mmCIF file of all heavy atoms in Angstrom:
data_model
loop_
_atom_site.group_PDB
_atom_site.id
_atom_site.type_symbol
_atom_site.label_atom_id
_atom_site.label_comp_id
_atom_site.label_asym_id
_atom_site.label_seq_id
_atom_site.Cartn_x
_atom_site.Cartn_y
_atom_site.Cartn_z
ATOM 1 N N LEU A 1 0.852 -1.171 -0.001
ATOM 2 C CA LEU A 1 0.016 0.013 -0.003
ATOM 3 C C LEU A 1 0.882 1.239 0.004
ATOM 4 O O LEU A 1 0.635 2.193 -0.764
ATOM 5 C CB LEU A 1 -0.882 -0.034 1.248
ATOM 6 C CG LEU A 1 -2.106 0.903 1.284
ATOM 7 C CD1 LEU A 1 -3.199 0.393 0.353
ATOM 8 C CD2 LEU A 1 -2.652 1.008 2.709
ATOM 9 N N TYR A 2 1.883 1.261 0.833
ATOM 10 C CA TYR A 2 2.822 2.406 0.878
ATOM 11 C C TYR A 2 3.440 2.604 -0.467
ATOM 12 O O TYR A 2 3.570 3.766 -0.977
ATOM 13 C CB TYR A 2 3.952 2.149 1.892
ATOM 14 C CG TYR A 2 3.534 1.879 3.323
ATOM 15 C CD1 TYR A 2 4.321 1.044 4.138
ATOM 16 C CD2 TYR A 2 2.381 2.447 3.869
ATOM 17 C CE1 TYR A 2 3.971 0.785 5.432
ATOM 18 C CE2 TYR A 2 2.015 2.189 5.177
ATOM 19 C CZ TYR A 2 2.813 1.352 5.960
ATOM 20 O OH TYR A 2 2.471 1.059 7.254
ATOM 21 N N ASP A 3 3.846 1.516 -1.096
ATOM 22 C CA ASP A 3 4.530 1.577 -2.411
ATOM 23 C C ASP A 3 3.606 2.152 -3.505
ATOM 24 O O ASP A 3 3.947 3.066 -4.247
ATOM 25 C CB ASP A 3 5.016 0.227 -2.809
ATOM 26 C CG ASP A 3 5.956 0.271 -4.019
ATOM 27 O OD1 ASP A 3 6.950 1.038 -3.976
ATOM 28 O OD2 ASP A 3 5.681 -0.471 -4.977
ATOM 29 N N SER A 4 2.362 1.610 -3.493
ATOM 30 C CA SER A 4 1.393 2.105 -4.477
ATOM 31 C C SER A 4 1.073 3.554 -4.293
ATOM 32 O O SER A 4 0.918 4.337 -5.266
ATOM 33 C CB SER A 4 0.101 1.283 -4.381
ATOM 34 O OG SER A 4 0.345 -0.078 -4.666
ATOM 35 N N PHE A 5 0.948 3.987 -3.038
ATOM 36 C CA PHE A 5 0.608 5.371 -2.732
ATOM 37 C C PHE A 5 1.724 6.334 -3.186
ATOM 38 O O PHE A 5 1.444 7.351 -3.797
ATOM 39 C CB PHE A 5 0.333 5.546 -1.231
ATOM 40 C CG PHE A 5 -0.304 6.886 -0.885
ATOM 41 C CD1 PHE A 5 -1.673 7.060 -0.893
ATOM 42 C CD2 PHE A 5 0.516 7.984 -0.520
ATOM 43 C CE1 PHE A 5 -2.229 8.310 -0.562
ATOM 44 C CE2 PHE A 5 -0.045 9.212 -0.223
ATOM 45 C CZ PHE A 5 -1.425 9.350 -0.216
ATOM 46 N N SER A 6 2.961 5.934 -2.881
ATOM 47 C CA SER A 6 4.096 6.819 -3.222
ATOM 48 C C SER A 6 4.314 6.916 -4.721
ATOM 49 O O SER A 6 4.800 7.901 -5.226
ATOM 50 C CB SER A 6 5.349 6.331 -2.546
ATOM 51 O OG SER A 6 5.707 5.014 -3.005
ATOM 52 N N LYS A 7 3.915 5.852 -5.474
ATOM 53 C CA LYS A 7 4.093 5.867 -6.915
ATOM 54 C C LYS A 7 2.925 6.508 -7.686
ATOM 55 O O LYS A 7 3.052 6.795 -8.871
ATOM 56 C CB LYS A 7 4.266 4.457 -7.414
ATOM 57 C CG LYS A 7 5.628 3.863 -7.019
ATOM 58 C CD LYS A 7 5.746 2.412 -7.518
ATOM 59 C CE LYS A 7 7.126 1.848 -7.138
ATOM 60 N NZ LYS A 7 7.252 0.403 -7.536
ATOM 61 N N ALA A 8 1.800 6.730 -6.990
ATOM 62 C CA ALA A 8 0.630 7.297 -7.668
ATOM 63 C C ALA A 8 0.949 8.689 -8.137
ATOM 64 O O ALA A 8 1.562 9.530 -7.418
ATOM 65 C CB ALA A 8 -0.575 7.358 -6.671
ATOM 66 N N SER A 9 0.541 9.013 -9.372
ATOM 67 C CA SER A 9 0.974 10.289 -10.049
ATOM 68 C C SER A 9 -0.098 11.336 -10.019
ATOM 69 O O SER A 9 0.041 12.364 -10.716
ATOM 70 C CB SER A 9 1.390 9.929 -11.470
ATOM 71 O OG SER A 9 0.314 9.365 -12.182
ATOM 72 N N SER A 10 -1.172 11.150 -9.272
ATOM 73 C CA SER A 10 -2.188 12.197 -9.174
ATOM 74 C C SER A 10 -2.991 11.995 -7.906
ATOM 75 O O SER A 10 -2.940 10.931 -7.261
ATOM 76 C CB SER A 10 -3.145 12.097 -10.391
ATOM 77 O OG SER A 10 -3.896 10.879 -10.326
ATOM 78 N N GLY A 11 -3.735 13.025 -7.566
ATOM 79 C CA GLY A 11 -4.620 12.932 -6.381
ATOM 80 C C GLY A 11 -5.639 11.836 -6.574
ATOM 81 O O GLY A 11 -5.972 11.097 -5.632
ATOM 82 N N GLU A 12 -6.200 11.749 -7.821
ATOM 83 C CA GLU A 12 -7.217 10.720 -8.105
ATOM 84 C C GLU A 12 -6.606 9.342 -7.895
ATOM 85 O O GLU A 12 -7.267 8.460 -7.298
ATOM 86 C CB GLU A 12 -7.698 10.852 -9.550
ATOM 87 C CG GLU A 12 -8.509 12.095 -9.832
ATOM 88 C CD GLU A 12 -7.591 13.262 -10.333
ATOM 89 O OE1 GLU A 12 -6.405 13.267 -9.984
ATOM 90 O OE2 GLU A 12 -8.142 14.133 -10.986
ATOM 91 N N ALA A 13 -5.389 9.128 -8.355
ATOM 92 C CA ALA A 13 -4.768 7.790 -8.202
ATOM 93 C C ALA A 13 -4.483 7.481 -6.731
ATOM 94 O O ALA A 13 -4.687 6.352 -6.272
ATOM 95 C CB ALA A 13 -3.460 7.759 -8.999
ATOM 96 N N GLN A 14 -4.058 8.494 -5.969
ATOM 97 C CA GLN A 14 -3.863 8.254 -4.527
ATOM 98 C C GLN A 14 -5.149 7.969 -3.807
ATOM 99 O O GLN A 14 -5.170 7.144 -2.894
ATOM 100 C CB GLN A 14 -3.128 9.453 -3.913
ATOM 101 C CG GLN A 14 -1.635 9.574 -4.298
ATOM 102 C CD GLN A 14 -0.903 10.577 -3.472
ATOM 103 O OE1 GLN A 14 -1.469 11.495 -2.894
ATOM 104 N NE2 GLN A 14 0.416 10.452 -3.410
ATOM 105 N N PHE A 15 -6.229 8.565 -4.233
ATOM 106 C CA PHE A 15 -7.509 8.297 -3.617
ATOM 107 C C PHE A 15 -7.970 6.880 -3.887
ATOM 108 O O PHE A 15 -8.607 6.218 -3.054
ATOM 109 C CB PHE A 15 -8.582 9.304 -4.076
ATOM 110 C CG PHE A 15 -9.860 9.215 -3.289
ATOM 111 C CD1 PHE A 15 -9.894 9.528 -1.926
ATOM 112 C CD2 PHE A 15 -11.043 8.783 -3.886
ATOM 113 C CE1 PHE A 15 -11.054 9.412 -1.201
ATOM 114 C CE2 PHE A 15 -12.214 8.690 -3.169
ATOM 115 C CZ PHE A 15 -12.234 9.011 -1.806
ATOM 116 N N GLU A 16 -7.642 6.326 -5.050
ATOM 117 C CA GLU A 16 -7.980 4.942 -5.341
ATOM 118 C C GLU A 16 -7.212 4.018 -4.427
ATOM 119 O O GLU A 16 -7.725 3.004 -3.954
ATOM 120 C CB GLU A 16 -7.643 4.599 -6.817
ATOM 121 C CG GLU A 16 -8.629 5.271 -7.832
ATOM 122 C CD GLU A 16 -10.087 4.919 -7.556
ATOM 123 O OE1 GLU A 16 -10.352 3.708 -7.399
ATOM 124 O OE2 GLU A 16 -10.907 5.811 -7.489
ATOM 125 N N VAL A 17 -5.930 4.347 -4.135
ATOM 126 C CA VAL A 17 -5.146 3.583 -3.182
ATOM 127 C C VAL A 17 -5.803 3.690 -1.796
ATOM 128 O O VAL A 17 -5.867 2.710 -1.021
ATOM 129 C CB VAL A 17 -3.668 4.063 -3.112
ATOM 130 C CG1 VAL A 17 -2.897 3.314 -2.029
ATOM 131 C CG2 VAL A 17 -3.031 3.888 -4.463
ATOM 132 N N HIS A 18 -6.310 4.860 -1.464
ATOM 133 C CA HIS A 18 -6.961 5.123 -0.160
ATOM 134 C C HIS A 18 -8.153 4.204 -0.004
ATOM 135 O O HIS A 18 -8.425 3.723 1.133
ATOM 136 C CB HIS A 18 -7.356 6.586 -0.050
ATOM 137 C CG HIS A 18 -7.738 7.015 1.316
ATOM 138 N ND1 HIS A 18 -6.881 6.884 2.402
ATOM 139 C CD2 HIS A 18 -8.908 7.530 1.809
ATOM 140 C CE1 HIS A 18 -7.478 7.340 3.502
ATOM 141 N NE2 HIS A 18 -8.723 7.731 3.139
ATOM 142 N N LYS A 19 -8.870 3.914 -1.052
ATOM 143 C CA LYS A 19 -9.993 3.026 -0.965
ATOM 144 C C LYS A 19 -9.534 1.602 -0.582
ATOM 145 O O LYS A 19 -10.235 0.909 0.144
ATOM 146 C CB LYS A 19 -10.750 2.969 -2.295
ATOM 147 C CG LYS A 19 -11.511 4.272 -2.640
ATOM 148 C CD LYS A 19 -12.195 4.144 -3.985
ATOM 149 C CE LYS A 19 -12.895 5.421 -4.379
ATOM 150 N NZ LYS A 19 -13.558 5.335 -5.735
ATOM 151 N N LYS A 20 -8.373 1.206 -1.073
ATOM 152 C CA LYS A 20 -7.833 -0.124 -0.705
ATOM 153 C C LYS A 20 -7.441 -0.121 0.782
ATOM 154 O O LYS A 20 -7.537 -1.123 1.459
ATOM 155 C CB LYS A 20 -6.597 -0.420 -1.596
ATOM 156 C CG LYS A 20 -6.957 -0.633 -3.078
ATOM 157 C CD LYS A 20 -5.710 -0.886 -3.899
ATOM 158 C CE LYS A 20 -6.086 -1.018 -5.401
ATOM 159 N NZ LYS A 20 -4.898 -1.187 -6.272
ATOM 160 N N TYR A 21 -6.965 1.020 1.209
ATOM 161 C CA TYR A 21 -6.634 1.164 2.672
ATOM 162 C C TYR A 21 -7.876 0.941 3.515
ATOM 163 O O TYR A 21 -7.801 0.251 4.548
ATOM 164 C CB TYR A 21 -6.047 2.552 2.909
ATOM 165 C CG TYR A 21 -6.037 3.005 4.364
ATOM 166 C CD1 TYR A 21 -5.104 2.523 5.280
ATOM 167 C CD2 TYR A 21 -7.022 3.930 4.815
ATOM 168 C CE1 TYR A 21 -5.106 2.944 6.579
ATOM 169 C CE2 TYR A 21 -7.027 4.340 6.111
ATOM 170 C CZ TYR A 21 -6.071 3.860 6.993
ATOM 171 O OH TYR A 21 -6.098 4.267 8.315
ATOM 172 N N TYR A 22 -9.014 1.484 3.064
ATOM 173 C CA TYR A 22 -10.263 1.276 3.771
ATOM 174 C C TYR A 22 -10.530 -0.227 3.962
ATOM 175 O O TYR A 22 -10.819 -0.730 5.062
ATOM 176 C CB TYR A 22 -11.450 1.857 2.994
ATOM 177 C CG TYR A 22 -11.608 3.377 3.030
ATOM 178 C CD1 TYR A 22 -12.253 4.012 1.979
ATOM 179 C CD2 TYR A 22 -11.162 4.143 4.075
ATOM 180 C CE1 TYR A 22 -12.444 5.378 1.964
ATOM 181 C CE2 TYR A 22 -11.355 5.524 4.085
ATOM 182 C CZ TYR A 22 -11.968 6.155 3.000
ATOM 183 O OH TYR A 22 -12.176 7.470 3.035
ATOM 184 N N LYS A 23 -10.465 -0.978 2.817
ATOM 185 C CA LYS A 23 -10.781 -2.380 2.844
ATOM 186 C C LYS A 23 -9.860 -3.167 3.752
ATOM 187 O O LYS A 23 -10.273 -4.038 4.560
ATOM 188 C CB LYS A 23 -10.754 -2.974 1.441
ATOM 189 C CG LYS A 23 -11.897 -2.483 0.531
ATOM 190 C CD LYS A 23 -11.833 -3.106 -0.860
ATOM 191 C CE LYS A 23 -12.960 -2.580 -1.716
ATOM 192 N NZ LYS A 23 -12.880 -3.161 -3.097
ATOM 193 N N LEU A 24 -8.568 -2.833 3.668
ATOM 194 C CA LEU A 24 -7.565 -3.549 4.448
ATOM 195 C C LEU A 24 -7.782 -3.344 5.960
ATOM 196 O O LEU A 24 -7.791 -4.323 6.721
ATOM 197 C CB LEU A 24 -6.171 -3.010 4.034
ATOM 198 C CG LEU A 24 -4.961 -3.807 4.483
ATOM 199 C CD1 LEU A 24 -4.955 -5.199 3.904
ATOM 200 C CD2 LEU A 24 -3.678 -3.069 4.055
ATOM 201 N N THR A 25 -7.955 -2.097 6.360
ATOM 202 C CA THR A 25 -8.084 -1.826 7.781
ATOM 203 C C THR A 25 -9.428 -2.301 8.326
ATOM 204 O O THR A 25 -9.534 -2.810 9.455
ATOM 205 C CB THR A 25 -7.911 -0.326 8.094
ATOM 206 O OG1 THR A 25 -8.801 0.435 7.240
ATOM 207 C CG2 THR A 25 -6.481 0.101 7.816
ATOM 208 N N GLU A 26 -10.485 -2.124 7.532
ATOM 209 C CA GLU A 26 -11.829 -2.510 8.022
ATOM 210 C C GLU A 26 -11.957 -4.012 8.181
ATOM 211 O O GLU A 26 -12.581 -4.482 9.111
ATOM 212 C CB GLU A 26 -12.911 -1.936 7.070
ATOM 213 C CG GLU A 26 -13.046 -0.421 7.163
ATOM 214 C CD GLU A 26 -14.210 0.120 6.407
ATOM 215 O OE1 GLU A 26 -14.810 -0.619 5.583
ATOM 216 O OE2 GLU A 26 -14.530 1.305 6.602
ATOM 217 N N HIS A 27 -11.332 -4.784 7.302
ATOM 218 C CA HIS A 27 -11.410 -6.216 7.473
ATOM 219 C C HIS A 27 -10.643 -6.629 8.697
ATOM 220 O O HIS A 27 -11.099 -7.483 9.485
ATOM 221 C CB HIS A 27 -10.844 -6.951 6.226
ATOM 222 C CG HIS A 27 -10.904 -8.443 6.396
ATOM 223 N ND1 HIS A 27 -12.067 -9.149 6.452
ATOM 224 C CD2 HIS A 27 -9.878 -9.363 6.530
ATOM 225 C CE1 HIS A 27 -11.834 -10.443 6.616
ATOM 226 N NE2 HIS A 27 -10.506 -10.573 6.654
ATOM 227 N N ALA A 28 -9.448 -6.118 8.908
ATOM 228 C CA ALA A 28 -8.704 -6.442 10.104
ATOM 229 C C ALA A 28 -9.448 -6.081 11.366
ATOM 230 O O ALA A 28 -9.555 -6.861 12.314
ATOM 231 C CB ALA A 28 -7.334 -5.721 10.090
ATOM 232 N N MET A 29 -10.083 -4.875 11.386
ATOM 233 C CA MET A 29 -10.832 -4.456 12.569
ATOM 234 C C MET A 29 -12.052 -5.332 12.806
ATOM 235 O O MET A 29 -12.437 -5.589 13.964
ATOM 236 C CB MET A 29 -11.263 -2.984 12.442
ATOM 237 C CG MET A 29 -10.194 -1.967 12.750
ATOM 238 S SD MET A 29 -9.383 -2.272 14.326
ATOM 239 C CE MET A 29 -10.723 -2.287 15.503
#
């Protein structure tokens, strides 16, 4: 996730990574 976020070339692309962060953390919780 860190790698994908740092390589994202726009705010839109980083927000798509952020959606994956939601899924990852919510499932663990």
Side-chain angles (χ1 to χ4, degrees):
L1 196 74
Y2 303 148
D3 190 52
S4 297
F5 191 88
S6 63
K7 288 178 179 177
S9 58
S10 67
E12 293 91 335
Q14 285 191 339
F15 189 65
E16 289 305 310
V17 176
H18 193 58
K19 290 178 182 177
K20 294 177 183 177
Y21 162 78
Y22 285 154
K23 290 182 181 178
L24 193 62
T25 54
E26 289 188 348
H27 179 65
M29 280 309 304

